[in-house]
Amino acid sequence: MDCKQLAAYFDHTLLKPTATRSDIEALCAEAENYGFASVCVNLCNVSFARKMLKHEIKVCSVIDFPFGSAGASSKMHQVQEAGENGASEVDVVINIGKLLDGDKAACVAELKPLCEFAHRNSMTVKVIVETCYLDEAHIRDACEIVEASGADFIKTSTGYGTRGASYDDIILFKKYLKRNTQIKASGGIQTLEQARKFLSLGCTRLGTSRTVGIINEAYSAGVIA
């Protein structure tokens, strides 16, 4: 595996509310240097990131981040704005309270129109289900909701909950997903060992602010040359 092949699994992420224009510029430069799948930024930084990047590096925007508690129309507006400003991927936080209530119908009703709009506009949708708050039954429900909505990915975490991704999360996703829904692990991925384990379990995308460190660790370990 070479650097570009490994880097292509990563969304190079900066979601701190204190991120400045120079921080986003540096993020984009790193993404182009290493060949990450995307830069993942807050909605206010999408337009600037798109201007900084060549077209082969995608811009991903988080939607209703980190709580997921806005109304459906607000989430739709954010997805539309992200697309208009140059995002080709959106990571949408599910309504966690409704998920915990077992109100699968409400979650699908909110997410499905977003997915339909995004797909009409050639955008990829990842649904963040915040696994730190979920037991196995909730994860089963989350998988059913994500697949019923038509989303492309299920994603573990915002990074702002009580923990990030765990290996058990991915094992449960694989247990309950019935279609070709992809999996993104995010939150707390700090090392090459963790990244490789998540990939081995079936993740096709990883989200972390430690992307450059992980790639450099892979160089040092001789995993990539």
Side-chain angles (χ1 to χ4, degrees), residues 150-222:
D152 304 283
F153 282 79
I154 188 168
K155 176 180 170 182
T156 59
S157 320
T158 63
Y160 284 79
T162 57
R163 64 165 175 82
S166 76
Y167 304 138
D168 286 342
D169 294 337
I170 310 308
I171 292 167
L172 289 174
F173 283 167
K174 296 294 286 186
K175 178 178 178 179
Y176 290 112
L177 290 170
K178 304 302 181 186
R179 302 179 186 172
N180 294 323
T181 304
Q182 298 184 72
I183 298 172
K184 176 178 174 180
S186 65
I189 302 173
Q190 300 286 325
T191 67
L192 175 63
E193 180 182 2
Q194 290 173 311
R196 294 178 75 182
K197 179 66 173 179
F198 279 115
L199 293 175
S200 73
L201 288 172
C203 295
T204 54
R205 197 75 67 86
L206 304 176
T208 176
S209 59
R210 282 277 301 147
T211 39
V212 171
I214 290 170
I215 295 295
N216 289 337
E217 186 183 351
Y219 275 121
S220 297

Side-chain angles (χ1 to χ4, degrees), residues 1 4 13 25-26 33-34 36 39-40 43 46 49 66 92 127 136 142-144 162 170 177 182 198 223:
M1 180 181 290
K4 296 292 186 184
T13 303
E25 191 169 2
N33 182 48
Y34 288 93
F36 296 124
V39 295
C40 185
L43 184 56
V46 168
V92 183
V127 176
E136 182 170 348
C143 290
E144 292 175 359
T162 57
I170 310 308
L177 290 170
Q182 298 184 72
F198 279 115
V223 173

Side-chain angles (χ1 to χ4, degrees), residues 2-202:
D2 63 23
C3 177
K4 296 292 186 184
Q5 289 172 317
L6 179 59
Y9 286 107
F10 289 92
D11 290 337
H12 192 34
T13 303
L14 179 56
L15 297 172
K16 293 180 179 178
T18 55
T20 64
R21 179 172 284 244
S22 62
D23 293 331
I24 300 301
E25 191 169 2
L27 185 83
C28 292
E30 289 170 343
E32 292 199 320
N33 182 48
Y34 288 93
F36 296 124
S38 79
V39 295
C40 185
V41 296
N42 288 307
L43 184 56
C44 64
N45 293 315
V46 168
S47 180
F48 181 67
R50 183 67 276 159
K51 291 175 183 176
M52 292 294 101
L53 289 165
K54 296 177 182 177
H55 289 293
E56 59 265 27
I57 305 293
K58 298 174 182 178
V59 177
C60 174
S61 179
V62 288
I63 304 298
D64 200 19
F65 186 86
F67 299 122
S69 53
S73 61
S74 175
K75 289 183 178 179
M76 176 65 84
H77 179 78
Q78 290 178 53
V79 173
Q80 291 170 338
E81 182 178 344
E84 289 167 0
N85 287 338
S88 54
E89 300 192 349
V90 287
D91 288 16
V92 183
V93 184
I94 200 168
N95 188 309
I96 301 162
K98 291 188 184 301
L99 172 57
L100 292 172
D101 277 338
D103 195 347
K104 294 188 288 184
C107 292
V108 173
E110 179 177 88
L111 292 170
K112 189 172 183 179
L114 302 181
C115 294
E116 291 172 347
F117 172 84
H119 292 158
R120 286 197 302 271
N121 290 276
S122 302
M123 299 167 71
T124 295
V125 180
K126 311 184 199 93
V127 176
I128 308 172
V129 301
E130 201 71 293
T131 50
C132 64
Y133 302 121
L134 310 182
D135 60 21
E136 182 170 348
H138 292 131
I139 288 179
R140 179 200 62 213
D141 288 349
C143 290
E144 292 175 359
I145 290 164
V146 169
E147 295 199 317
S149 74
D152 304 283
F153 282 79
I154 188 168
K155 176 180 170 182
T156 59
S157 320
T158 63
Y160 284 79
T162 57
R163 64 165 175 82
S166 76
Y167 304 138
D168 286 342
D169 294 337
I170 310 308
I171 292 167
L172 289 174
F173 283 167
K174 296 294 286 186
K175 178 178 178 179
Y176 290 112
L177 290 170
K178 304 302 181 186
R179 302 179 186 172
N180 294 323
T181 304
Q182 298 184 72
I183 298 172
K184 176 178 174 180
S186 65
I189 302 173
Q190 300 286 325
T191 67
L192 175 63
E193 180 182 2
Q194 290 173 311
R196 294 178 75 182
K197 179 66 173 179
F198 279 115
L199 293 175
S200 73
L201 288 172

